[in-house]
């Protein structure tokens, strides 16, 4: 019988992606939607926002990234960058994660005692949502990785997909068929990372 920790072990950064997955678009939408609903957030603020890019929209994102990087990457390194971006565009789709700054600013106004902490709370909430989606995909044998080309692409992403101005881009998650498994992972001894007091 599978345990939840089995799915944590399956969740790895997968860079070799294919353009087919085991879920229909409708199933994918429901899976991600349930993660958005159930993700914890400070004061139940539900500040996480998501955009799902499929088909040509997915391809469009990685072309934006490639075009942006072509302007700032040294020519001798651009081919390596192009190969990396191509591995993401080869996937089935991309999930964009945002945090809604209007929600965070309202919390700061309504609860001034915690004003300075809310940006940190927001990051924690977003991280949990990203991990939930990533693990849910892994449970369905769908590979993914987490990328951060923001803030370089923020303005063009907002313009291209008419994203509300208050949505702040946090990360990009390309996903698809697992074409090659991740390398073995080294672990620091738990004795260096885990203290127990009784």
């Amino acid at each position: 019988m599978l345990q939840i920790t089995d799915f944590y072990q399956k969740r790895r950064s997968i860079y070799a992606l294919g353009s087919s997955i085991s879920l229909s678009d409708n199933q994918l939408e429901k899976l991600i939607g349930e993660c958005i609903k159930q993700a914890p957030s400070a004061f139940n603020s539900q500040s996480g926002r998501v955009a799902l890019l499929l088909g040509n929209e997915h391809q469009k994102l990685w072309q934006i990234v490639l075009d942006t990087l072509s302007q700032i990457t040294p020519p001798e390194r651009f081919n390596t960058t192009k190969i990396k971006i191509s591995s993401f565009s080869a996937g089935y789709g991309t999930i964009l994660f945002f945090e809604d700054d209007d929600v965070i600013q309202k919390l700061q106004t309504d609860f001034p005692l915690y004003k300075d902490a809310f940006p940190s709370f927001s990051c924690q909430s977003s991280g949990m949502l990203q991990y939930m989606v990533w693990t849910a995909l892994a449970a369905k044998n769908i590979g993914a990785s987490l990328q951060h080309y923001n803030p370089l692409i923020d303005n063009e992403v907002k313009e291209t997909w008419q994203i509300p101005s208050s949505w702040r881009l946090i990360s990009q998650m390309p996903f698809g068929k697992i074409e090659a498994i991740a390398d073995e992972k080294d672990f620091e001894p738990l004795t260096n990372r885990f203290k127990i007091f009784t």
Side-chain angles (χ1 to χ4, degrees):
M1 181 176 173
L2 287 172
Q3 304 291 324
I4 192 168
T5 51
D6 294 324
F7 298 120
Y8 297 158
Q9 292 171 21
K10 288 184 72 170
R11 185 228 49 84
R12 297 292 308 279
S13 292
I14 304 296
Y15 298 103
L17 298 174
S19 59
S20 63
I21 59 172
S22 57
L23 300 182
S24 68
D25 289 353
N26 188 53
Q27 290 171 318
L28 184 63
E29 179 183 343
K30 288 181 177 178
L31 181 71
I32 297 170
E34 192 61 25
C35 291
I36 295 168
K37 283 174 60 179
Q38 300 302 334
S41 58
F43 291 71
N44 195 31
S45 57
Q46 302 176 51
S47 56
R49 303 288 184 265
V50 170
L52 175 60
L53 306 180
L54 301 173
N56 289 336
E57 303 305 307
H58 159 70
Q59 297 295 332
K60 195 182 297 181
L61 172 77
W62 295 107
Q63 189 61 52
I64 288 170
V65 173
L66 190 63
D67 291 345
T68 301
L69 293 179
S70 71
Q71 299 173 35
I72 61 173
T73 305
E76 66 274 13
R77 292 174 49 195
F78 185 66
N79 192 54
T80 301
T81 297
K82 189 174 181 180
I83 292 169
K84 184 178 182 183
I85 300 306
S86 294
S87 74
F88 303 144
S89 66
Y92 185 81
T94 302
I95 305 161
L96 303 180
F97 293 92
F98 303 83
E99 280 289 297
D100 192 335
D101 283 334
D102 281 353
V103 174
I104 298 160
Q105 288 165 13
K106 187 175 187 308
L107 287 169
Q108 291 176 310
T109 299
D110 292 346
F111 303 97
L113 185 63
Y114 302 101
K115 179 180 179 181
D116 293 339
F118 280 120
S120 175
F121 292 165
S122 166
C123 289
Q124 293 166 35
S125 296
S126 182
M128 287 186 280
L129 173 57
Q130 293 168 63
Y131 189 78
M132 287 172 69
V133 171
W134 199 349
T135 304
L137 291 174
K140 299 294 185 181
N141 296 311
I142 297 171
S145 68
L146 199 62
Q147 304 302 317
H148 302 89
Y149 290 99
N150 43 295
L152 293 172
I153 62 171
D154 288 18
N155 291 337
E156 194 161 357
V157 164
K158 287 187 176 183
E159 291 172 9
T160 301
W161 288 283
Q162 297 298 293
I163 301 294
S165 61
S166 65
W167 291 23
R168 177 170 37 89
L169 185 59
I170 303 295
S171 62
Q172 307 85 53
M173 185 179 286
F175 65 92
K177 181 182 177 185
I178 300 172
E179 297 289 358
I181 62 172
D183 293 336
E184 285 294 317
K185 187 176 182 178
D186 294 327
F187 294 95
E188 284 289 317
L190 280 178
T191 51
N192 294 345
R193 305 173 64 191
F194 188 20
K195 294 187 181 296
I196 304 169
F197 303 93
T198 60

